[in-house]
Amino acid sequence: MAAPTSVVVLDRGNNTTCTINLHGATVVSWRVNNQEQLFVSKQAVFDGKKGIRGGIPFVFPQFGLWAFGPQHGFGRIVRWNLEKSPDRLPSGDMEVIFSLMDNELTRSMWNYPFRITYRLILREKELHFNIGVYNPSKDLSFSFNLLLHTYFKVPDVRRCQVTGLHGCTYIDKTRDNAVFQEGRESVTISEWTDRIYQNTPQEHIITNVVSGRKMRIQKYNFPDTVVWNPWVEKSKDISDFGDDEYPNMICVESGHVSSPVVLLPGTAFEASQILQRPAATAPVVISSLAVHGRGVPPAQASAVHRQVSCCLRDIQPSLPVQPSLVLHHLFPQPLILVNN
Ligand SMILES: O=P(O)(O)OC[C@H]1O[C@@H](O)[C@H](O)[C@@H](O)[C@@H]1O
């Protein structure tokens, strides 16, 4: 029987938590105010062997097919060490550090000494990732790919837009790895998508993630951004992914994959990422309003109020909005807003 997997939990308070499975140091949950931000398939396997389908698997030292080992390398299928247990920082944020060193198994696929430290910090609305890869050898260089294979949870991937890709070249894995240039200001998904965008900027925003809000990705030393969704047909080929789950996830992955990192003896590579749930101003504005309107009986006012708040989140997740304009759009009949 395979070794059971075990998890480490960061708890910042206020129902803001992050759970990391030592198997692959895979982040399997990130909840902000009790709201899950990451997608994990209902069919994910936790057998301590297979990579976990969802969350944030750690792709190393290979991205994609590999002649010497499994697809996406061994980083996501080996057990990592808990280098430093969860600890509260003076800021109130929670920190944990994992590490991985070469061992018999990794040497059988990739015969190099290495050491990785993977530090996570859970803030109020942010999750920080700091990665260091060290080459302790005196004479051998090695090269590798590294990628954080982040599965974001979304209500409907067709409504997501990803910014920051305009003008970037991309390798399209759905079209025999042909190279194209992105012409859209923001990228939407309506079919099987598997692209490696190159030399992308340090920031992307994804719209319409959970509760219709936005997610900000900031990255350092990760020149590539992979965008993946298997869509209808490819989903059926993935045994640990439900046929009907593709609308509920989008992978936007920060990595160093279209060219390898070459690490000289005695040197280190560092990269980092911050995921941030920007504060939503609109629901705050509207939640302090009571809705009364012609055609809306008082008994239904709170239901309308709830509906308006949800719609507002969908329409303008984080920008300041004019509630009256949005309400007018939603309810053409005159409505009176009473500030509580
Ligand atoms: O099924 P896996 O090995 O987890 O890979 C999932 C996908 O991961 C993406 O990052 C790749 O670009 C895709 O080609 C791949 O299909």
Side-chain angles (χ1 to χ4, degrees):
M1 213 176 81
T5 58
S6 42
V7 298
V8 173
V9 178
L10 301 178
D11 187 347
R12 200 189 180 284
N14 231 356
N15 293 313
T16 294
T17 58
C18 175
T19 307
I20 305 100
N21 197 309
L22 287 179
H23 181 63
T26 312
V27 177
V28 288
S29 166
W30 172 34
R31 300 181 88 86
V32 178
N33 298 136
N34 213 21
Q35 195 164 45
E36 183 58 61
Q37 308 296 315
L38 301 177
F39 166 90
V40 176
S41 171
K42 293 191 187 75
Q43 287 175 215
V45 176
F46 296 87
D47 64 357
K49 283 182 173 171
K50 205 174 164 55
I52 296 168
R53 177 66 62 199
I56 313 181
F58 194 104
V59 172
F60 175 89
Q62 172 74 16
F63 173 73
L65 291 174
W66 195 22
F68 307 106
Q71 156 133 317
H72 290 343
F74 51 70
R76 64 174 177 169
I77 55 162
V78 293
R79 191 181 169 94
W80 287 55
N81 307 308
L82 178 59
E83 181 80 17
K84 181 168 180 274
S85 298
D87 195 17
R88 192 171 292 278
L89 301 173
S91 57
D93 301 330
M94 294 300 296
E95 176 200 59
V96 65
I97 302 177
F98 302 96
S99 66
L100 183 66
M101 281 176 73
D102 55 297
N103 58 36
E104 214 177 305
L105 179 69
T106 68
R107 289 283 191 140
S108 70
M109 298 177 238
W110 199 63
N111 195 13
Y112 298 102
F114 71 90
R115 180 176 167 79
I116 304 180
T117 52
Y118 187 24
R119 176 171 179 247
L120 295 173
I121 298 171
L122 177 66
R123 306 192 65 187
E124 225 180 314
K125 301 215 181 306
E126 295 173 6
L127 188 54
H128 292 224
F129 308 74
N130 296 306
I131 299 161
V133 183
Y134 176 60
N135 178 357
S137 169
K138 292 206 164 46
D139 40 28
L140 275 184
S141 296
F142 59 68
S143 58
F144 62 89
N145 297 147
L146 198 158
L147 170 131
L148 294 174
H149 198 304
T150 308
Y151 290 73
F152 293 99
K153 181 175 173 170
V154 299
D156 183 356
V157 70
R158 287 163 284 230
R159 297 183 54 218
C160 295
Q161 299 180 318
V162 185
T163 70
L165 300 169
H166 183 239
C168 297
T169 54
Y170 62 90
I171 300 166
D172 193 336
K173 291 181 148 189
T174 71
R175 289 194 264 175
D176 293 327
N177 292 323
V179 178
F180 300 92
Q181 188 174 25
E182 183 56 72
R184 294 173 291 177
E185 277 302 328
S186 53
V187 166
T188 50
I189 293 191
S190 54
E191 59 183 342
W192 173 36
T193 303
D194 193 355
R195 298 174 170 194
I196 304 170
Y197 285 91
Q198 301 172 305
N199 296 314
T200 53
Q202 287 193 330
E203 179 177 295
H204 299 293
I205 305 274
I206 314 174
T207 65
N208 283 318
V209 299
V210 277
S211 295
R213 297 202 192 187
K214 293 185 179 178
M215 177 69 68
R216 176 178 286 132
I217 303 171
Q218 288 169 290
K219 60 191 180 62
Y220 163 75
N221 229 0
F222 280 132
D224 304 307
T225 304
V226 176
V227 179
W228 177 64
N229 183 292
W231 216 251
V232 182
E233 289 308 315
K234 294 285 165 190
S235 294
K236 296 178 188 160
D237 298 339
I238 309 176
S239 63
D240 54 348
F241 187 80
D243 292 357
D244 57 351
E245 289 185 308
Y246 74 89
N248 300 125
M249 52 75 74
I250 182 170
C251 281
V252 181
E253 312 159 22
S254 302
H256 202 309
V257 294
S258 65
S259 65
V261 178
V262 179
L263 207 52
L264 300 175
T267 64
F269 165 84
E270 287 183 325
S272 58
Q273 173 178 261
I274 299 173
L275 302 182
Q276 183 194 41
R277 276 288 307 262
T281 54
V284 176
V285 173
I286 198 71
S287 64
S288 67
L289 300 169
V291 180
H292 302 283
R294 213 180 291 165
V296 182
Q300 287 173 22
S302 71
V304 171
H305 175 214
R306 271 200 303 279
Q307 196 183 347
V308 168
S309 301
C310 288
C311 292
L312 270 176
R313 277 199 288 272
D314 281 358
I315 292 168
Q316 283 286 43
S318 66
L319 296 174
V321 290
Q322 292 262 19
S324 54
L325 286 181
V326 179
L327 282 169
H328 179 71
H329 173 74
L330 295 169
F331 301 98
Q333 75 272 38
L335 282 166
I336 302 159
L337 299 179
V338 182
N339 210 329
N340 275 341

